[in-house]
């Protein structure tokens, strides 16, 4: 093929790929990536990197909603204070345009930034360390093509003593295990792909794995559920009681693709993860993720005793349920597939920690609308209709009906979620 034709095709291909990604203005893609991307090898790498950046959900922390892609500035709440996502556009002064590839890979996989400074694990390098060098370089190649934005970000807004970066040395020594993902030869290629995504780029454990007091993963309970940012990320092992034991691979794929399946619906920070990240992943990758999750045994198969049907909270809760909830969720708790989630048999409903449930009742929820599932039915807010004791009673009822059993929810638990929510509104 004559060289000028090849160049033209390459340019059109890059431009349309980047336009599809919705992340850069088409005109810029044409002028800016010219130097590097005309080599067809290169735009395959860039498109791969774009996909991987979506799978890693880099935008969730590095893009302010509605703001310029990857320009930083989004606050991330940690139990120790606020850390702000950095500017990772190719701007040379305030972004990472002047960084070498080696430095980029070391930030992503080792948590070591400019001048060897230690990053805070609010940047999920403890998971990204599993990413292969080839994938890391593809992400870099893609980031090189986004619009450079001048935006100086001060990431470290932690209070003393956590503002001392050097302390991360101790943290890293305790909790950070550096090293690329090692496939398990005894397992299928699909399982290994799932493990790579869940343990690495997808950083699912950042939310779903319980933490130690210093915020490191408690690996003895990997993926068994953790409360953060006012939500509870439930157990996603194959545990029958609290986890995904009752969900098929297809149920998990549907949830990650659309935010819904026949029994569940995603809200809050998981809804955001789905709309920014997993809904854009291929069915093959989602199936791999589900295959891996279904193979995680979990270990809390014991079932707590159900609260007795004659308990006053159950009696009051049952009456409130019939009046306020059954129209949508059904007297049998089964809801309507893909419209109103089933509360019967829902691992989320019988979670060890009811934080998300209280929150959904208080705030109401509108589930995620994705390309695959564009309508998003709503759950009304009951914060002003039901008092703390009533919310506690109706949740105790749904957690202990239709074959479920779980600890009663107390009015004090509801009160503290209410207080935390008011606190975050006033901030
Ligand atoms: C859960 C939030 C979160 C996600 C997801 C995330 N980051 Fe970060 N990232 C941060 C935070 C916070 C910082 C600043 C950390 C610090 O200064 O200690 C950071 C820092 C960085 C830095 C260092 C920049 C600098 O100027 O020091 C790079 C590079 C980076 N992230 C790349 C990525 C890439 C690529 C992805 C996706 C694969 C990603 N991040 C996903 C939160 C996140
Ligand atoms: C930013 C935090 C966060 C990240 C990252 C995250 N999750 Fe979640 N996830 C949650 C929360 C919170 C919920 C509960 C949502 C709700 O109550 O509707 C949830 C719910 C789920 C559920 C439904 C469980 C149920 O019983 O209803 C599945 C499955 C799931 N996540 C899988 C994943 C996978 C796989 C990944 C990684 C690719 C992941 N999550 C990454 C926070 C997160
Ligand atoms: C108008 C219809 C409607 C009514 C009335 C309603 N809900 Fe819901 N509910 C929904 C929808 C829709 C969702 C899913 C929201 C989402 O995906 O974010 C939901 C979600 C939930 C969830 C979260 C389920 C999960 O797996 O994460 C719980 C718990 C819940 N509702 C309990 C109740 C209770 C208790 C009442 C009565 C006090 C009630 N709902 C009344 C429509 C309703």
């Amino acid at each position: 093929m004559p060289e000028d034709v090849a160049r033209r095709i390459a340019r059109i291909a890059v431009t349309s790929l980047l336009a599809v990604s919705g992340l850069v203005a088409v005109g810029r893609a044409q002028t800016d990536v010219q130097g590097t991307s005309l080599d067809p090898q290169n735009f395959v790498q860039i498109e791969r990197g774009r996909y991987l950046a979506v799978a890693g959900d880099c935008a969730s922390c590095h893009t302010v909603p509605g703001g310029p892609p990857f320009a930083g500035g989004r606050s991330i709440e940690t139990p120790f204070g606020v850390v702000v996502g950095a500017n990772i556009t190719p701007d040379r002064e305030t972004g990472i345009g002047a960084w070498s590839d080696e430095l980029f890979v070391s930030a992503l996989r080792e948590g070591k930034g400019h001048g060897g400074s230690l990053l805070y694990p609010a940047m999920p390098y403890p998971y990204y360390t599993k990413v292969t060098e080839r994938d890391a370089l593809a992400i870099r190649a893609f980031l090189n093509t986004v619009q450079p934005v001048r935006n100086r970000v001060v990431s470290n807004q932690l209070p003393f003593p956590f503002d001392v970066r050097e302390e991360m040395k101790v943290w890293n020594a305790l909790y950070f295990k550096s090293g690329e993902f090692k496939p398990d030869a005894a397992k299928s290629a699909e399982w290994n792909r799932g493990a790579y995504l869940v343990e690495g780029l997808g950083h699912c454990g950042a939310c779903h794995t319980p933490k130690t007091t210093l915020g490191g993963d408690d690996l003895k309970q990997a993926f068994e559920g953790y409360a953060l940012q006012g939500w509870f990320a439930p157990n996603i092992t194959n545990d029958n009681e609290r986890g995904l034991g009752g969900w098929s691979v297809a149920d998990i794929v549907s949830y990650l693709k659309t935010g819904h399946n026949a029994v569940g619906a995603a809200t809050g920070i998981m809804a955001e993860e789905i709309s920014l990240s997993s809904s854009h992943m291929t069915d093959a990758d989602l199936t791999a993720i589900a295959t891996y999750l279904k193979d995680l045994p979990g270990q809390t198969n014991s079932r707590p005793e159900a609260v007795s049907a004659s308990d006053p909270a159950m009696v009051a809760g049952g009456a409130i349920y019939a009046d306020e909830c059954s129209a949508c969720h059904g007297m049998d708790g089964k809801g309507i597939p893909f419209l109103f989630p089933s509360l019967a048999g829902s691992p989320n409903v019988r979670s060890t920690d009811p934080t998300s449930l209280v929150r959904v009742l208080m705030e109401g929820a509108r589930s995620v609308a994705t390309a695959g599932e564009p309508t998003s039915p709503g759950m009304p807010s009951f914060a002003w209709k039901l008092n703390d004791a009533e919310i506690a009673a109706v949740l105790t009822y749904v957690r202990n009906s239709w074959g479920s059993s779980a600890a009663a929810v107390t009015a004090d638990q509801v009160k503290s979620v209410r207080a935390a929510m008011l606190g975050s509104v006033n901030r």
Side-chain angles (χ1 to χ4, degrees), residues 302-342:
S302 63
R303 170 185 270 256
E305 209 168 310
V307 178
S308 149
S310 60
D311 187 286
M314 287 292 281
V315 176
I320 298 169
Y321 185 85
D323 283 353
E324 304 285 355
C325 324
S326 63
C328 296
H329 293 288
M331 277 314 283
D332 59 0
K334 289 212 172 96
I336 298 174
F338 296 95
L339 204 53
F340 301 122
S342 172

mmCIF file of all heavy atoms in Angstrom, residues 302-342:
data_model
loop_
_atom_site.group_PDB
_atom_site.id
_atom_site.type_symbol
_atom_site.label_atom_id
_atom_site.label_comp_id
_atom_site.label_asym_id
_atom_site.label_seq_id
_atom_site.Cartn_x
_atom_site.Cartn_y
_atom_site.Cartn_z
ATOM 1 N N SER A 302 -22.417 -19.823 57.621
ATOM 2 C CA SER A 302 -23.349 -20.030 58.725
ATOM 3 C C SER A 302 -24.473 -19.004 58.644
ATOM 4 O O SER A 302 -24.281 -17.878 58.202
ATOM 5 C CB SER A 302 -22.624 -19.869 60.045
ATOM 6 O OG SER A 302 -22.161 -18.552 60.134
ATOM 7 N N ARG A 303 -25.618 -19.408 59.077
ATOM 8 C CA ARG A 303 -26.796 -18.558 58.966
ATOM 9 C C ARG A 303 -27.201 -18.122 60.371
ATOM 10 O O ARG A 303 -27.406 -18.967 61.242
ATOM 11 C CB ARG A 303 -27.864 -19.438 58.338
ATOM 12 C CG ARG A 303 -29.249 -18.891 58.308
ATOM 13 C CD ARG A 303 -30.174 -19.984 57.764
ATOM 14 N NE ARG A 303 -30.262 -19.873 56.320
ATOM 15 C CZ ARG A 303 -31.331 -19.365 55.698
ATOM 16 N NH1 ARG A 303 -32.361 -18.948 56.382
ATOM 17 N NH2 ARG A 303 -31.378 -19.304 54.397
ATOM 18 N N PRO A 304 -27.303 -16.817 60.627
ATOM 19 C CA PRO A 304 -27.727 -16.400 61.964
ATOM 20 C C PRO A 304 -29.188 -16.788 62.174
ATOM 21 O O PRO A 304 -29.929 -16.975 61.216
ATOM 22 C CB PRO A 304 -27.569 -14.887 61.948
ATOM 23 C CG PRO A 304 -27.577 -14.502 60.518
ATOM 24 C CD PRO A 304 -27.119 -15.680 59.718
ATOM 25 N N GLU A 305 -29.583 -16.898 63.427
ATOM 26 C CA GLU A 305 -30.964 -17.264 63.702
ATOM 27 C C GLU A 305 -31.902 -16.126 63.287
ATOM 28 O O GLU A 305 -31.590 -14.953 63.498
ATOM 29 C CB GLU A 305 -31.100 -17.530 65.198
ATOM 30 C CG GLU A 305 -32.180 -18.532 65.508
ATOM 31 C CD GLU A 305 -32.079 -18.979 66.958
ATOM 32 O OE1 GLU A 305 -30.968 -19.349 67.397
ATOM 33 O OE2 GLU A 305 -33.110 -18.924 67.634
ATOM 34 N N ALA A 306 -33.044 -16.470 62.735
ATOM 35 C CA ALA A 306 -33.992 -15.441 62.304
ATOM 36 C C ALA A 306 -34.630 -14.765 63.519
ATOM 37 O O ALA A 306 -34.822 -15.391 64.555
ATOM 38 C CB ALA A 306 -35.083 -16.056 61.439
ATOM 39 N N VAL A 307 -34.932 -13.478 63.374
ATOM 40 C CA VAL A 307 -35.673 -12.782 64.421
ATOM 41 C C VAL A 307 -37.089 -13.369 64.428
ATOM 42 O O VAL A 307 -37.691 -13.572 63.366
ATOM 43 C CB VAL A 307 -35.713 -11.263 64.128
ATOM 44 C CG1 VAL A 307 -36.514 -10.535 65.185
ATOM 45 C CG2 VAL A 307 -34.296 -10.708 64.024
ATOM 46 N N SER A 308 -37.626 -13.667 65.605
ATOM 47 C CA SER A 308 -38.922 -14.341 65.703
ATOM 48 C C SER A 308 -40.050 -13.505 65.113
ATOM 49 O O SER A 308 -40.089 -12.280 65.253
ATOM 50 C CB SER A 308 -39.198 -14.645 67.176
ATOM 51 O OG SER A 308 -40.586 -14.618 67.415
ATOM 52 N N ALA A 309 -40.989 -14.195 64.451
ATOM 53 C CA ALA A 309 -42.098 -13.500 63.793
ATOM 54 C C ALA A 309 -42.969 -12.738 64.791
ATOM 55 O O ALA A 309 -43.684 -11.807 64.420
ATOM 56 C CB ALA A 309 -42.948 -14.500 63.017
ATOM 57 N N SER A 310 -42.891 -13.132 66.087
ATOM 58 C CA SER A 310 -43.736 -12.443 67.065
ATOM 59 C C SER A 310 -43.010 -11.266 67.726
ATOM 60 O O SER A 310 -43.580 -10.550 68.537
ATOM 61 C CB SER A 310 -44.190 -13.437 68.141
ATOM 62 O OG SER A 310 -43.041 -13.965 68.772
ATOM 63 N N ASP A 311 -41.751 -11.060 67.356
ATOM 64 C CA ASP A 311 -41.010 -9.904 67.874
ATOM 65 C C ASP A 311 -41.761 -8.623 67.475
ATOM 66 O O ASP A 311 -42.223 -8.501 66.334
ATOM 67 C CB ASP A 311 -39.613 -9.914 67.245
ATOM 68 C CG ASP A 311 -38.701 -8.856 67.827
ATOM 69 O OD1 ASP A 311 -38.894 -7.651 67.501
ATOM 70 O OD2 ASP A 311 -37.798 -9.236 68.578
ATOM 71 N N PRO A 312 -41.904 -7.660 68.401
ATOM 72 C CA PRO A 312 -42.665 -6.442 68.073
ATOM 73 C C PRO A 312 -42.146 -5.733 66.819
ATOM 74 O O PRO A 312 -42.944 -5.192 66.034
ATOM 75 C CB PRO A 312 -42.479 -5.558 69.310
ATOM 76 C CG PRO A 312 -42.046 -6.467 70.412
ATOM 77 C CD PRO A 312 -41.444 -7.679 69.807
ATOM 78 N N ALA A 313 -40.826 -5.745 66.604
ATOM 79 C CA ALA A 313 -40.286 -5.073 65.415
ATOM 80 C C ALA A 313 -40.772 -5.778 64.146
ATOM 81 O O ALA A 313 -41.062 -5.135 63.129
ATOM 82 C CB ALA A 313 -38.756 -5.059 65.458
ATOM 83 N N MET A 314 -40.888 -7.114 64.203
ATOM 84 C CA MET A 314 -41.354 -7.864 63.034
ATOM 85 C C MET A 314 -42.829 -7.564 62.754
ATOM 86 O O MET A 314 -43.227 -7.404 61.599
ATOM 87 C CB MET A 314 -41.166 -9.371 63.265
ATOM 88 C CG MET A 314 -39.724 -9.836 63.206
ATOM 89 S SD MET A 314 -39.011 -9.714 61.548
ATOM 90 C CE MET A 314 -39.706 -11.165 60.765
ATOM 91 N N VAL A 315 -43.613 -7.456 63.828
ATOM 92 C CA VAL A 315 -45.047 -7.187 63.651
ATOM 93 C C VAL A 315 -45.239 -5.782 63.053
ATOM 94 O O VAL A 315 -45.917 -5.601 62.040
ATOM 95 C CB VAL A 315 -45.793 -7.317 65.004
ATOM 96 C CG1 VAL A 315 -47.261 -6.941 64.832
ATOM 97 C CG2 VAL A 315 -45.644 -8.742 65.544
ATOM 98 N N ALA A 316 -44.557 -4.805 63.657
ATOM 99 C CA ALA A 316 -44.667 -3.429 63.147
ATOM 100 C C ALA A 316 -44.108 -3.353 61.729
ATOM 101 O O ALA A 316 -44.704 -2.735 60.832
ATOM 102 C CB ALA A 316 -43.909 -2.474 64.073
ATOM 103 N N GLY A 317 -42.968 -3.998 61.517
ATOM 104 C CA GLY A 317 -42.319 -3.957 60.209
ATOM 105 C C GLY A 317 -43.194 -4.572 59.127
ATOM 106 O O GLY A 317 -43.275 -4.053 58.007
ATOM 107 N N GLY A 318 -43.866 -5.662 59.453
ATOM 108 C CA GLY A 318 -44.735 -6.319 58.478
ATOM 109 C C GLY A 318 -45.879 -5.407 58.052
ATOM 110 O O GLY A 318 -46.235 -5.334 56.866
ATOM 111 N N ALA A 319 -46.423 -4.656 59.029
ATOM 112 C CA ALA A 319 -47.532 -3.749 58.706
ATOM 113 C C ALA A 319 -47.036 -2.604 57.821
ATOM 114 O O ALA A 319 -47.683 -2.232 56.832
ATOM 115 C CB ALA A 319 -48.138 -3.199 60.000
ATOM 116 N N ILE A 320 -45.870 -2.057 58.149
ATOM 117 C CA ILE A 320 -45.314 -0.964 57.326
ATOM 118 C C ILE A 320 -45.015 -1.483 55.920
ATOM 119 O O ILE A 320 -45.295 -0.833 54.921
ATOM 120 C CB ILE A 320 -44.020 -0.389 57.968
ATOM 121 C CG1 ILE A 320 -44.338 0.216 59.341
ATOM 122 C CG2 ILE A 320 -43.381 0.655 57.064
ATOM 123 C CD1 ILE A 320 -43.089 0.553 60.158
ATOM 124 N N TYR A 321 -44.479 -2.692 55.859
ATOM 125 C CA TYR A 321 -44.140 -3.265 54.551
ATOM 126 C C TYR A 321 -45.385 -3.368 53.671
ATOM 127 O O TYR A 321 -45.368 -2.979 52.497
ATOM 128 C CB TYR A 321 -43.484 -4.649 54.715
ATOM 129 C CG TYR A 321 -43.027 -5.196 53.381
ATOM 130 C CD1 TYR A 321 -41.784 -4.840 52.855
ATOM 131 C CD2 TYR A 321 -43.871 -5.998 52.608
ATOM 132 C CE1 TYR A 321 -41.395 -5.282 51.597
ATOM 133 C CE2 TYR A 321 -43.490 -6.439 51.354
ATOM 134 C CZ TYR A 321 -42.247 -6.080 50.851
ATOM 135 O OH TYR A 321 -41.859 -6.497 49.602
ATOM 136 N N ALA A 322 -46.479 -3.892 54.258
ATOM 137 C CA ALA A 322 -47.700 -4.072 53.470
ATOM 138 C C ALA A 322 -48.208 -2.723 52.942
ATOM 139 O O ALA A 322 -48.597 -2.608 51.785
ATOM 140 C CB ALA A 322 -48.771 -4.751 54.319
ATOM 141 N N ASP A 323 -48.114 -1.688 53.780
ATOM 142 C CA ASP A 323 -48.608 -0.363 53.381
ATOM 143 C C ASP A 323 -47.702 0.342 52.388
ATOM 144 O O ASP A 323 -48.161 0.960 51.442
ATOM 145 C CB ASP A 323 -48.691 0.564 54.610
ATOM 146 C CG ASP A 323 -49.903 0.253 55.460
ATOM 147 O OD1 ASP A 323 -50.728 -0.567 55.018
ATOM 148 O OD2 ASP A 323 -49.999 0.820 56.568
ATOM 149 N N GLU A 324 -46.408 0.319 52.660
ATOM 150 C CA GLU A 324 -45.501 1.240 51.958
ATOM 151 C C GLU A 324 -44.651 0.573 50.871
ATOM 152 O O GLU A 324 -44.094 1.259 50.020
ATOM 153 C CB GLU A 324 -44.525 1.896 52.964
ATOM 154 C CG GLU A 324 -45.195 2.626 54.111
ATOM 155 C CD GLU A 324 -45.797 3.958 53.668
ATOM 156 O OE1 GLU A 324 -45.613 4.353 52.509
ATOM 157 O OE2 GLU A 324 -46.465 4.602 54.504
ATOM 158 N N CYS A 325 -44.475 -0.720 50.940
ATOM 159 C CA CYS A 325 -43.458 -1.348 50.094
ATOM 160 C C CYS A 325 -44.027 -2.377 49.131
ATOM 161 O O CYS A 325 -43.495 -2.590 48.040
ATOM 162 C CB CYS A 325 -42.394 -2.038 50.954
ATOM 163 S SG CYS A 325 -41.985 -1.177 52.489
ATOM 164 N N SER A 326 -45.112 -3.053 49.549
ATOM 165 C CA SER A 326 -45.539 -4.232 48.803
ATOM 166 C C SER A 326 -46.024 -3.886 47.396
ATOM 167 O O SER A 326 -45.960 -4.718 46.505
ATOM 168 C CB SER A 326 -46.626 -4.982 49.570
ATOM 169 O OG SER A 326 -47.762 -4.154 49.700
ATOM 170 N N ALA A 327 -46.469 -2.644 47.181
ATOM 171 C CA ALA A 327 -46.953 -2.280 45.848
ATOM 172 C C ALA A 327 -45.858 -2.508 44.808
ATOM 173 O O ALA A 327 -46.136 -2.935 43.693
ATOM 174 C CB ALA A 327 -47.403 -0.823 45.827
ATOM 175 N N CYS A 328 -44.636 -2.241 45.162
ATOM 176 C CA CYS A 328 -43.538 -2.432 44.200
ATOM 177 C C CYS A 328 -42.808 -3.759 44.426
ATOM 178 O O CYS A 328 -42.526 -4.482 43.484
ATOM 179 C CB CYS A 328 -42.530 -1.288 44.295
ATOM 180 S SG CYS A 328 -43.236 0.302 43.828
ATOM 181 N N HIS A 329 -42.472 -4.038 45.683
ATOM 182 C CA HIS A 329 -41.626 -5.222 45.920
ATOM 183 C C HIS A 329 -42.437 -6.505 46.104
ATOM 184 O O HIS A 329 -41.861 -7.585 46.179
ATOM 185 C CB HIS A 329 -40.729 -4.992 47.142
ATOM 186 C CG HIS A 329 -39.693 -3.928 46.923
ATOM 187 N ND1 HIS A 329 -38.595 -4.111 46.110
ATOM 188 C CD2 HIS A 329 -39.595 -2.659 47.391
ATOM 189 C CE1 HIS A 329 -37.857 -3.005 46.106
ATOM 190 N NE2 HIS A 329 -38.448 -2.108 46.868
ATOM 191 N N GLY A 330 -43.794 -6.390 46.167
ATOM 192 C CA GLY A 330 -44.651 -7.576 46.261
ATOM 193 C C GLY A 330 -44.782 -8.095 47.677
ATOM 194 O O GLY A 330 -43.848 -7.998 48.464
ATOM 195 N N MET A 331 -45.946 -8.682 47.992
ATOM 196 C CA MET A 331 -46.123 -9.264 49.320
ATOM 197 C C MET A 331 -45.172 -10.450 49.509
ATOM 198 O O MET A 331 -44.784 -10.765 50.629
ATOM 199 C CB MET A 331 -47.579 -9.714 49.540
ATOM 200 C CG MET A 331 -48.535 -8.600 49.984
ATOM 201 S SD MET A 331 -47.933 -7.503 51.303
ATOM 202 C CE MET A 331 -48.153 -8.534 52.765
ATOM 203 N N ASP A 332 -44.792 -11.092 48.400
ATOM 204 C CA ASP A 332 -43.855 -12.213 48.504
ATOM 205 C C ASP A 332 -42.403 -11.745 48.440
ATOM 206 O O ASP A 332 -41.473 -12.548 48.393
ATOM 207 C CB ASP A 332 -44.115 -13.228 47.390
ATOM 208 C CG ASP A 332 -43.970 -12.599 46.003
ATOM 209 O OD1 ASP A 332 -43.669 -11.378 45.912
ATOM 210 O OD2 ASP A 332 -44.155 -13.315 45.003
ATOM 211 N N GLY A 333 -42.180 -10.415 48.398
ATOM 212 C CA GLY A 333 -40.825 -9.870 48.391
ATOM 213 C C GLY A 333 -40.070 -10.082 47.090
ATOM 214 O O GLY A 333 -38.903 -9.729 46.982
ATOM 215 N N LYS A 334 -40.734 -10.637 46.080
ATOM 216 C CA LYS A 334 -39.995 -11.021 44.865
ATOM 217 C C LYS A 334 -39.859 -9.896 43.847
ATOM 218 O O LYS A 334 -39.134 -10.031 42.861
ATOM 219 C CB LYS A 334 -40.664 -12.231 44.213
ATOM 220 C CG LYS A 334 -40.483 -13.513 45.024
ATOM 221 C CD LYS A 334 -40.406 -14.729 44.108
ATOM 222 C CE LYS A 334 -40.039 -15.999 44.854
ATOM 223 N NZ LYS A 334 -41.211 -16.793 45.243
ATOM 224 N N GLY A 335 -40.572 -8.783 44.048
ATOM 225 C CA GLY A 335 -40.439 -7.660 43.113
ATOM 226 C C GLY A 335 -40.909 -8.028 41.717
ATOM 227 O O GLY A 335 -41.694 -8.957 41.530
ATOM 228 N N ILE A 336 -40.448 -7.278 40.737
ATOM 229 C CA ILE A 336 -40.743 -7.570 39.339
ATOM 230 C C ILE A 336 -39.400 -7.578 38.617
ATOM 231 O O ILE A 336 -38.660 -6.595 38.696
ATOM 232 C CB ILE A 336 -41.673 -6.500 38.722
ATOM 233 C CG1 ILE A 336 -43.014 -6.495 39.467
ATOM 234 C CG2 ILE A 336 -41.879 -6.742 37.225
ATOM 235 C CD1 ILE A 336 -43.949 -5.395 39.034
ATOM 236 N N PRO A 337 -39.078 -8.705 37.941
ATOM 237 C CA PRO A 337 -37.752 -8.821 37.324
ATOM 238 C C PRO A 337 -37.366 -7.585 36.510
ATOM 239 O O PRO A 337 -38.177 -7.077 35.750
ATOM 240 C CB PRO A 337 -37.867 -10.063 36.439
ATOM 241 C CG PRO A 337 -38.918 -10.900 37.112
ATOM 242 C CD PRO A 337 -39.889 -9.921 37.717
ATOM 243 N N PHE A 338 -36.169 -7.097 36.703
ATOM 244 C CA PHE A 338 -35.571 -5.972 35.983
ATOM 245 C C PHE A 338 -36.242 -4.632 36.277
ATOM 246 O O PHE A 338 -35.888 -3.610 35.717
ATOM 247 C CB PHE A 338 -35.529 -6.218 34.463
ATOM 248 C CG PHE A 338 -34.645 -7.368 34.103
ATOM 249 C CD1 PHE A 338 -35.162 -8.641 33.923
ATOM 250 C CD2 PHE A 338 -33.270 -7.184 33.974
ATOM 251 C CE1 PHE A 338 -34.339 -9.700 33.614
ATOM 252 C CE2 PHE A 338 -32.434 -8.236 33.670
ATOM 253 C CZ PHE A 338 -32.975 -9.508 33.489
ATOM 254 N N LEU A 339 -37.260 -4.618 37.159
ATOM 255 C CA LEU A 339 -37.951 -3.360 37.415
ATOM 256 C C LEU A 339 -37.823 -3.021 38.904
ATOM 257 O O LEU A 339 -37.239 -2.002 39.273
ATOM 258 C CB LEU A 339 -39.417 -3.529 37.012
ATOM 259 C CG LEU A 339 -40.167 -2.263 36.673
ATOM 260 C CD1 LEU A 339 -39.424 -1.450 35.629
ATOM 261 C CD2 LEU A 339 -41.568 -2.623 36.160
ATOM 262 N N PHE A 340 -38.363 -3.906 39.738
ATOM 263 C CA PHE A 340 -38.266 -3.715 41.185
ATOM 264 C C PHE A 340 -37.496 -4.884 41.758
ATOM 265 O O PHE A 340 -37.919 -6.025 41.611
ATOM 266 C CB PHE A 340 -39.664 -3.617 41.808
ATOM 267 C CG PHE A 340 -40.462 -2.482 41.234
ATOM 268 C CD1 PHE A 340 -41.678 -2.702 40.620
ATOM 269 C CD2 PHE A 340 -39.963 -1.177 41.295
ATOM 270 C CE1 PHE A 340 -42.399 -1.645 40.073
ATOM 271 C CE2 PHE A 340 -40.675 -0.123 40.755
ATOM 272 C CZ PHE A 340 -41.892 -0.353 40.137
ATOM 273 N N PRO A 341 -36.352 -4.613 42.411
ATOM 274 C CA PRO A 341 -35.505 -5.729 42.843
ATOM 275 C C PRO A 341 -36.222 -6.643 43.828
ATOM 276 O O PRO A 341 -37.105 -6.209 44.571
ATOM 277 C CB PRO A 341 -34.309 -5.043 43.498
ATOM 278 C CG PRO A 341 -34.714 -3.649 43.757
ATOM 279 C CD PRO A 341 -35.798 -3.314 42.780
ATOM 280 N N SER A 342 -35.835 -7.900 43.787
ATOM 281 C CA SER A 342 -36.350 -8.872 44.729
ATOM 282 C C SER A 342 -35.669 -8.635 46.070
ATOM 283 O O SER A 342 -34.446 -8.520 46.144
ATOM 284 C CB SER A 342 -36.041 -10.280 44.224
ATOM 285 O OG SER A 342 -36.370 -11.212 45.228
#
